[in-house]
Amino acid sequence: MGDRTVADKNMERLTPREIVAELDKYIVGQKKAKRAVAVALRNRIRRLKLDPEIREDIAPKNILMIGPTGVGKTEIARRLAKLAGSPFIKVEATKYTEVGYVGRDVESMIRDLMAAGFQMVKQEMQESVKAEAEKRAEEALLDLLLPGSGKKTKNSKAKPVPVVRPFAFNKPGEPGLMGAAIQVGIPVFRKNGGKGDPVPVGELPGGGETAETAEAGLAGEKGKEDADKDNSTREKFRIMLREGKLEDRTVEFQIQQSPQFPSFEMMGAGMEEFGASISELVGALGGTQKNKVMSVKRAREILIGEEAEKLIDRDRVSDEARQRVEETGIVFIDEIDKIAVRGERGGGPDVSREGVQRDILPIVEGATVTTKWGPVNTDHILFIAAGAFNVSKPSDLIPELQGRFPLRVELDSLGKDDFLRILTEPKNALTKQYTGLLATENIDIEFSPQAVERLAVLAAEVNSRLENIGARRLHTIMESLLEELSFEAPDIAPAKIPITAEYVDDKLSGLVKDQDLGRYIL
């Protein structure tokens, strides 16, 4: 497997058990869903180890996640892609319309996935040439700070002897008859100070030097001294630049700008990228040059980006990205239940919904989609679909599409115990986030265990009375709890405020007792 990608190597290091353990750091519960995606991810690397003959026949086992909103469906897919280093795109099924209607065509999800893969590989390759790009950017900055200093050092080689044409055929600036005679060794006579006796040039004082050659020699010595002086100044500026002493100095230079056309959508596949294609075409023809005055710090960032762009091979980036998308790409289709059509309903918007399903079907089955980076085959892209299915059922999808999602995972609703774990266990737990945010204002808050438990109870209670929005309810609860403190933080800092169960009741009890909770918390 000489053509193994970075994503392949990342996946090979992770066993299904380790994948689930990594997901547990960010997502509470949902063991069935985690095990399903872990096995699907591991099967991809197993497939790549097989012989090419059998490898092509093994299709990925697409997954359909069923569960209410806010239980972790999207987060599982996003964390999975990040863990594997795979190109990932999240799309909403409701954004698409069937062929013949104005709107996004279904194939655009693969073009978006390819764009994500291209950007991922491009960043990796730019990172690999960052050292060389920084070196070139430094030289460019020195040229801006000391105009002309770099040219003399680069062009310090002796100039070639000019071509001498016979007699009057010399071009302006080239040596005339005198120079020609000297080069071929013919003695040429000059008047000796105007006193009458001609003196051969070879017998002039100074070992045969003419006045012109002697003057040229002096100019050369002076030029060498100037070059040495410039080099010394350039090196001093280089040291100051590396020590960060010139970061606030401003420089002016030209940057290349490609005109950006407003995005618009037209009927027909691929036409939604029409504006972007025109922008790229104009950019390839030269774009526009614009003078910019900015600090050395900002100029360095731009110059490093430009130099890194020159050092990478875009064709190689496209090839690598296309291979990675085809072998390890993940498409997460959310809200797929919104395009399901129930049997007893007909007409209206449902006509278009079934059309979207028919258009999605060939993409999931395996098709070749044309993108601006080349054709992309979808045979081995992993598709994960998700939906709440609180109005429709998975059986309302067309049978062919149901068959393309053989793995079905039902995610559990979240209760008080789950909310308690969500508030404390994950790396990005809400209590940790708000503690860090307020710490920037010199406000030190500390959640007591009783306060956290009270928050979990309130979230579960509100979800039971109103629409169940899962863990998203915790965001609204926490915002209501800390709204007053967040507003007053700059005025009361520094301060240390303990968040106790009494504090929670004081801030939220009035809202919970009100029957019309929807006015306050979603």
Side-chain angles (χ1 to χ4, degrees):
M1 299 292 296
D3 57 347
R4 299 285 299 283
T5 64
V6 176
D8 300 336
K9 295 174 184 175
N10 286 345
M11 286 192 291
E12 189 169 8
R13 288 188 294 103
L14 295 170
T15 65
R17 193 178 302 278
E18 290 172 338
I19 293 170
V20 171
E22 287 294 320
L23 294 175
D24 282 340
K25 293 179 181 178
Y26 300 96
I27 303 149
V28 169
Q30 314 303 354
K31 291 292 183 185
K32 292 180 182 178
K34 291 175 183 174
R35 287 171 65 93
V37 296
V39 170
L41 193 62
R42 187 66 179 180
N43 279 340
R44 308 192 84 180
I45 195 62
R46 291 168 179 160
R47 172 185 162 272
L48 292 174
K49 293 181 178 180
L50 297 173
D51 293 332
E53 293 79 10
I54 189 172
R55 187 195 312 164
E56 292 302 316
D57 295 329
I58 298 178
K61 304 304 182 287
N62 299 322
I63 302 169
L64 177 62
M65 292 185 182
I66 305 167
T69 182
V71 296
K73 301 187 294 294
T74 305
E75 191 66 13
I76 287 174
R78 183 182 289 114
R79 293 289 177 184
L80 184 75
K82 189 174 182 180
L83 191 62
S86 301
F88 173 80
I89 188 73
K90 174 185 179 292
V91 299
E92 305 284 340
T94 53
K95 295 288 185 183
Y96 301 102
T97 61
E98 62 179 308
V99 174
Y101 287 80
V102 176
R104 299 203 75 190
D105 65 287
V106 172
E107 289 186 351
S108 65
M109 71 172 69
I110 304 302
R111 291 194 287 270
D112 292 342
L113 181 66
M114 185 61 197
F118 181 87
Q119 192 63 26
M120 177 185 291
V121 175
K122 180 181 173 183
Q123 287 178 354
E124 289 176 6
M125 291 193 176
Q126 285 181 338
E127 194 65 30
S128 66
V129 298
K130 187 176 181 180
E132 178 64 23
E134 288 176 346
K135 189 188 301 183
R136 294 189 180 193
E138 184 181 83
E139 295 299 330
L141 273 176
L142 289 171
D143 289 341
L144 292 171
L145 291 166
L146 298 168
S149 65
K151 298 177 183 177
K152 292 181 181 178
T153 57
K154 293 177 183 176
N155 303 328
S156 58
K157 296 181 180 178
K159 293 182 180 179
V161 177
V163 177
V164 181
R165 295 179 176 83
F167 303 106
F169 291 96
N170 294 70
K171 292 183 178 180
E174 292 183 348
L177 178 59
M178 176 69 74
I182 292 172
Q183 289 188 29
V184 299
I186 302 173
V188 177
F189 297 92
R190 284 183 176 176
K191 296 291 183 179
N192 186 10
K195 295 181 180 180
D197 297 330
V199 180
V201 171
E203 297 178 8
L204 287 172
E209 278 190 326
T210 65
E212 289 84 351
T213 56
E215 186 179 345
L218 292 173
E221 290 295 329
K222 187 174 184 302
K224 186 178 179 182
E225 290 177 6
D226 291 343
D228 291 340
K229 185 178 179 181
D230 283 345
N231 284 338
S232 175
T233 306
R234 189 178 179 89
E235 291 307 313
K236 288 178 182 177
F237 267 73
R238 189 189 304 276
I239 293 171
M240 293 171 67
L241 198 61
R242 291 177 178 176
E243 292 177 349
K245 296 179 179 178
L246 303 176
E247 295 295 281
D248 296 329
R249 183 171 293 195
T250 57
V251 292
E252 180 178 2
F253 65 103
Q254 283 188 336
I255 61 173
Q256 191 84 9
Q257 283 192 333
S258 297
Q260 295 295 322
F261 292 89
S263 59
F264 57 94
E265 302 200 352
M266 297 175 62
M267 191 180 304
M271 292 304 292
E272 63 185 30
E273 295 184 338
F274 187 63
S277 300
I278 294 178
S279 298
E280 290 186 3
L281 177 61
V282 175
L285 295 175
T288 57
Q289 295 279 355
K290 187 173 183 180
N291 283 354
K292 285 274 189 179
V293 178
M294 61 186 68
S295 66
V296 167
K297 183 178 181 180
R298 176 61 181 150
R300 182 190 289 109
E301 296 173 3
I302 294 176
L303 289 170
I304 289 175
E306 289 181 351
E307 295 298 334
E309 185 75 27
K310 295 175 187 174
L311 287 168
I312 63 173
D313 182 0
R314 292 184 70 87
D315 291 335
R316 185 182 164 204
V317 173
S318 298
D319 294 341
E320 172 72 18
R322 188 163 60 250
Q323 179 189 357
R324 192 176 298 189
V325 165
E326 290 181 345
E327 300 292 345
T328 68
I330 299 175
V331 176
F332 182 78
I333 306 175
D334 202 5
E335 309 291 354
I336 199 167
D337 58 316
K338 303 300 187 297
I339 61 170
V341 184
R342 291 192 296 172
E344 65 270 16
R345 296 180 64 184
D350 297 331
V351 176
S352 179
R353 292 179 190 179
E354 188 170 331
V356 175
Q357 293 184 59
R358 288 195 300 268
D359 289 347
I360 289 178
L361 182 61
I363 304 294
V364 179
E365 285 182 335
T368 299
V369 177
T370 302
T371 72
K372 58 184 176 183
W373 297 281
V376 175
N377 188 279
T378 68
D379 285 343
H380 302 289
I381 292 175
L382 177 64
F383 290 88
I384 302 176
F389 289 100
N390 50 2
V391 176
S392 57
K393 304 183 296 295
S395 58
D396 292 330
L397 296 169
I398 60 175
E400 296 86 351
L401 191 59
Q402 293 180 50
R404 285 296 165 176
F405 289 91
L407 298 183
R408 295 188 184 180
V409 182
E410 195 162 346
L411 284 82
D412 304 321
S413 297
L414 301 177
K416 173 206 150 188
D417 293 337
D418 297 310
F419 290 144
L420 187 60
R421 293 179 59 195
I422 290 170
L423 285 169
T424 54
E425 290 183 11
K427 276 188 174 182
N428 57 347
L430 280 178
T431 52
K432 298 174 185 176
Q433 291 180 25
Y434 280 94
T435 301
L437 285 171
L438 288 172
T440 62
E441 302 273 9
N442 288 327
I443 300 293
D444 183 14
I445 62 171
E446 184 177 351
F447 289 87
S448 69
Q450 295 79 12
V452 175
E453 185 171 359
R454 184 67 181 143
L455 287 170
V457 170
L458 291 176
E461 184 179 344
V462 175
N463 267 352
S464 65
R465 293 189 187 183
L466 298 177
E467 188 71 29
N468 185 0
I469 61 172
R472 292 189 177 92
R473 184 70 66 188
L474 290 174
H475 290 272
T476 58
I477 289 281
M478 291 291 287
E479 279 295 325
S480 299
L481 174 69
L482 299 173
E483 180 183 10
E484 184 179 342
L485 184 57
S486 298
F487 183 83
E488 296 179 351
D491 302 322
I492 63 175
K496 183 173 182 178
I497 300 175
I499 306 297
T500 62
E502 291 76 17
Y503 185 94
V504 173
D505 288 334
D506 180 52
K507 299 295 180 184
L508 299 178
S509 60
L511 300 181
V512 174
K513 288 178 182 177
D514 197 308
Q515 294 300 314
D516 189 8
L517 298 175
R519 291 188 300 166
Y520 301 97
I521 307 178
L522 281 187

